[in-house]
Amino acid sequence: MRKIIVLSFISLDGVMQAPGGPDEDTSGGFKYGGWIAPYDDEVSGEFMKRQMEPADMLLGRKTFDIFENYWPQHAEYWPGVNEVTKYVLSNSKNQSAWKNCVFLQSVDDIIKLKQTTGGHIKVWGSSQLVQLLLQHDLADELWLKIFPITLGGGKKLFSGGAIPAAFVVTESTVTPGGVIIVNYKRDGDIKTGTVGP
């Protein structure tokens, strides 16, 4: 069974919209696109290099449209991005000029994909897709980069609700700029107890 890994840049108030640039996603009047740029440093760059190692992707339609229009012409910054398989959850699109794209239509298609053989599948951006994965317990790991900033509004990582679930930290660090980079792995059900006497 394949593992689905969600990678996300998030603010302290949980916003994940348009981290990469001013025009990346202005939907809903979002005006802070490119909010991660001031926090770039050598430590975060090394983590990103590792996280961008070639792996198949699972993308929502909006993120796919952004990637499809950008990465084929900028592959020197992301080696392998054109060669990996891009699985796209969409009810309105079923083909692309970008090579190696497979279109899915439902949660059942994602479940079938997880049951195939192959390497890990990484989810970049795709807020609605991530919420769907969390609701159906299909995200095996969360690789989060939490930035010391609040954005006040925008697309959020957990706004659609998630099932109650426990996670364990598998790796963590804090960059010189204050970005918390932490990887979580799914770890069964929530355990409860009593604190104190």
Side-chain angles (χ1 to χ4, degrees), residues 18-95:
D23 300 320
E24 183 178 348
D25 179 4
T26 58
S27 61
F30 190 74
K31 59 184 179 181
Y32 298 111
W35 50 271
I36 69 170
Y39 300 95
D40 190 30
D41 57 37
E42 188 174 330
V43 174
S44 61
E46 284 302 312
F47 264 85
M48 282 305 300
K49 193 183 302 180
R50 285 175 37 209
Q51 293 185 349
M52 292 171 75
E53 289 174 356
D56 289 349
M57 297 181 192
L58 175 59
L59 303 170
R61 170 65 191 275
K62 179 93 175 173
T63 299
F64 176 75
D65 287 346
I66 294 167
F67 277 28
E68 176 187 38
N69 290 319
Y70 183 83
W71 286 113
Q73 290 79 38
H74 299 89
E76 67 275 15
Y77 296 107
W78 194 346
V81 70
N82 290 324
E83 288 71 37
V84 300
T85 302
K86 279 75 68 176
Y87 296 96
V88 185
L89 183 65
S90 174
N91 289 319
S92 59
K93 189 169 187 170
N94 59 19
Q95 60 183 354

Side-chain angles (χ1 to χ4, degrees), residues 130-131 133-136 157-165 167:
V130 169
Q131 291 164 18
L133 295 172
L134 292 170
Q135 289 166 4
H136 291 273
L157 183 64
F158 295 108
S159 67
I163 64 163
F167 290 83

